[in-house]
Amino acid sequence: MTGLRACGIVRRFGPVTAVDGVDLDVLPGQVHALVGLNGSGKTTLMRMLVGVLRPDEGLVRFDGAAGPHGALTGHVIDVPAAYGELTVAENLWAAARLRGVPGAAARSAAAVAAAAVGIDDLVGRRAAGLSLGNRQRLGLASALVHDPEVLILDEPTNGLDPAGVLAVRRLLLDRAHEHGCAVLVSSHHLDELARIADRITVLHRGRVVGALEPDGVDLEARFFAMVAEADGLDLSAEPPLVPGGRS
Amino acid sequence: MSAAWTTEVLKLRRSPVTRTAFAAMALIAPLFAVGAALLIARGSPTGTGSMAGAKIAGMVQGTGWDAVTAGFGQVVSVLWLLGTGIVAAWSCGREFSDRTLGQLLALPTSAGRIAMAKLGSVLVWAASTVVAAAALTLVGGAAAGLGAPTVDDLRSLGTGVLAGVAAAWLALPFAWVATVGRGYLPAVGALLGVVLVSQVVVLLGGGAWFPWAVPSLLVGTGGETAAVAVSPVGVALVVVVGALAWGVTVRAWARLQLM
């Protein structure tokens, strides 16, 4: 099975260093969660891991890969990509073909992927008419259609209803634990990540500032403490008394 | 067909932009060509006929099938630049505007191959449409009572078809503008700018070497003198501009990143 390893990844946009020397590994059979505040560099990092953005420094390695990276990786980053003029089935067929699925198998691969994310009843509908949640499901199905060995998903539950969130949670666990897929997922929902992640890495201001135990207590408090510590703040200190204010 | 080709052809077939543009092109060209011939036939220098016919007679040479083929060449050489330019710009630029680019990068199918499929499929559609427009023109002319065209008429219509293909070839630079401009609007602006500049260059007498003016001059838009004045260098520049645009667009796609 294929794993993913990033070594010393750096990416700058002008004077801003969006990702600053990140080392990260995503192992086969594990769900690795990436958490961080807005602007922490999660999306930029994921783009480089997928290969749609080139790092200024460092490298990304696919350990044990037996084919081109694009054929092994599925991703949803930023917004789920879908062509509005195509139906759900055609979008999935196109995604399968571009990811190396042979023409004869593309149609059945599309049907399997649609069923996996619960949109098999929408295959004949144009993507332009889909709700945000169903568009997200279509993006996920496109990422899964070629049966990838590495999955990189940025906020995969965006726009999903509770049933959709549950379905994605089950899907990711199934991909990782039953199919041996290496899954990297980002989210702001720490409670959700606690339910599925084997490992949680905290990214802040473009740097890895620590790791959280998914099964520990009060994940949110530990996350904020870690971020504050990285910023040099002491959250345990008493707030200063304001002259004339209420104590 | 490769995965990139089948996907791009599917997107063109389903797209309302492509369908509208090519359907309009396929209909406008025969309507203009046959309509111009009919108006000229009804026009009269004594002023007893159609005023529109008299005006059209000043723009389109000849009568009957001569007027049809001349009108066809004139409209096609401009319309195919505009229509194909819009479709080529949309095909590349929509991946940025619709935020679908991320799905096209880092695939086993390289972005350069996808760009080639985009340009190639747009050209094939444009060429097929100009052939269809020529066929419709023949049907329209016959239905309008112009009789059967002669071999010379068919040859003139064929020249119009070639002018349409050349105009479509000259639309490729707008795919490159859409790529580096990361959207189709900059390319549409550039397209309108080139059409405007072509008019000015022709008025100033430089059309014989200005690539975007060459197809319309060759089919007689500027009169026989202007058509004869088009040099082999002008024709070669048409080929070079399209080829260069193809190369730089594919190269730009091969280097694309999702910023």
Side-chain angles (χ1 to χ4, degrees):
Chain A
M1 296 307 290
T2 304
L4 180 66
R5 187 183 299 272
C7 306
I9 294 283
V10 175
R11 177 70 201 203
R12 302 179 193 91
F13 296 102
V16 177
T17 302
V19 174
D20 191 3
V22 168
D23 296 312
L24 189 82
D25 56 346
V26 188
L27 302 176
Q30 284 197 352
V31 176
H32 190 145
L34 197 59
V35 296
L37 302 174
N38 288 336
S40 60
K42 300 188 298 293
T43 301
T44 303
L45 175 61
M46 288 180 139
R47 284 177 176 173
M48 289 189 286
L49 295 178
V50 168
V52 298
L53 180 67
R54 284 185 284 278
D56 292 322
E57 293 172 31
L59 54 91
V60 177
R61 281 203 339 238
F62 284 73
D63 295 331
H69 301 162
L72 299 170
T73 311
H75 68 270
V76 178
I77 296 179
D78 200 6
V79 291
Y83 294 103
E85 71 272 21
L86 303 185
T87 64
V88 166
E90 288 169 339
N91 265 292
L92 290 173
W93 177 85
R97 293 289 289 122
L98 290 173
R99 284 160 180 76
V101 178
R107 209 167 295 280
S108 60
V112 169
V117 299
I119 54 171
D120 43 338
D121 56 335
L122 301 174
V123 289
R125 191 179 292 184
R126 285 189 195 282
L130 295 179
S131 66
L132 177 65
N134 284 331
R135 212 174 161 89
Q136 183 73 13
R137 287 172 191 245
L138 173 56
L140 286 167
S142 298
L144 293 168
V145 74
H146 55 308
D147 198 18
E149 295 183 17
V150 177
L151 260 180
I152 299 180
L153 306 173
D154 189 15
E155 311 274 354
T157 55
N158 265 358
L160 294 181
D161 58 19
V165 171
L166 197 64
V168 168
R169 197 185 293 162
R170 284 182 183 149
L171 184 70
L172 297 187
L173 288 172
D174 176 68
R175 298 303 303 183
H177 299 157
E178 303 302 324
H179 293 82
C181 197
V183 179
L184 179 66
V185 59
S186 80
S187 177
H188 290 126
H189 303 292
L190 292 170
D191 55 336
E192 180 188 313
L193 293 180
R195 294 167 196 259
I196 60 169
D198 298 294
R199 302 162 69 190
I200 301 177
T201 294
V202 180
L203 199 66
H204 185 61
R205 299 189 192 280
R207 293 169 180 262
V208 172
V209 294
L212 297 170
E213 286 299 321
D215 50 359
V217 292
D218 209 356
L219 203 59
E220 195 173 82
R222 286 186 289 130
F223 166 71
F224 280 116
M226 192 172 280
V227 167
E229 189 183 339
D231 280 342
L233 302 174
D234 184 4
L235 291 186
S236 63
E238 289 290 322
L241 289 174
V242 180
R246 296 170 66 183
S247 59
Chain B
M1 275 201 289
S2 71
W5 265 89
T6 49
T7 303
E8 289 306 321
V9 168
L10 176 67
K11 281 152 70 176
L12 282 186
R13 274 173 48 209
R14 294 281 187 267
S15 157
V17 173
T18 313
R19 287 181 178 185
T20 307
F22 285 130
M25 289 155 69
L27 291 176
I28 288 172
L31 282 174
F32 177 84
V34 177
L38 291 178
L39 283 171
I40 289 169
R42 289 176 190 169
S44 162
T46 60
T48 54
S50 156
M51 183 66 79
K55 285 183 177 175
I56 290 282
M59 296 160 52
V60 177
Q61 304 286 314
T63 56
W65 278 109
D66 282 346
V68 169
T69 56
F72 181 79
Q74 287 184 26
V75 72
V76 153
S77 57
V78 177
L79 194 57
W80 258 248
L81 174 64
L82 279 170
T84 312
I86 287 170
V87 174
W90 172 82
S91 177
C92 287
R94 63 90 52 105
E95 307 291 358
F96 300 90
S97 311
D98 296 352
R99 302 176 78 179
T100 45
L101 183 67
Q103 181 153 299
L104 296 182
L105 303 179
L107 296 174
T109 309
S110 74
R113 277 188 181 279
I114 290 171
M116 280 194 261
K118 282 181 179 294
L119 300 179
S121 56
V122 168
L123 279 178
V124 168
W125 267 73
S128 307
T129 308
V130 76
V131 171
L136 283 175
T137 302
L138 285 174
V139 172
L146 298 179
T150 64
V151 173
D152 280 347
D153 294 330
L154 292 176
R155 193 173 292 130
S156 296
L157 200 65
T159 306
V161 169
L162 286 179
V165 173
W169 181 247
L170 286 166
L172 294 187
F174 306 106
W176 174 74
V177 176
T179 302
V180 296
R182 302 183 84 84
Y184 45 77
L185 285 181
V188 171
L191 175 60
L192 295 176
V194 163
V195 171
L196 192 70
V197 168
S198 296
Q199 302 296 316
V200 175
V201 170
V202 169
L203 281 175
L204 294 176
W209 56 264
F210 191 67
W212 286 278
V214 165
S216 58
L217 289 180
L218 279 176
V219 293
T221 305
E224 281 190 24
T225 314
V228 172
V230 175
S231 66
V233 175
V235 176
L237 278 175
V238 171
V239 177
V240 169
V241 164
L244 207 60
W246 180 289
V248 294
T249 305
V250 170
R251 186 179 161 90
W253 270 78
R255 295 176 167 199
L256 271 181
Q257 296 185 70
L258 188 64
M259 297 295 206

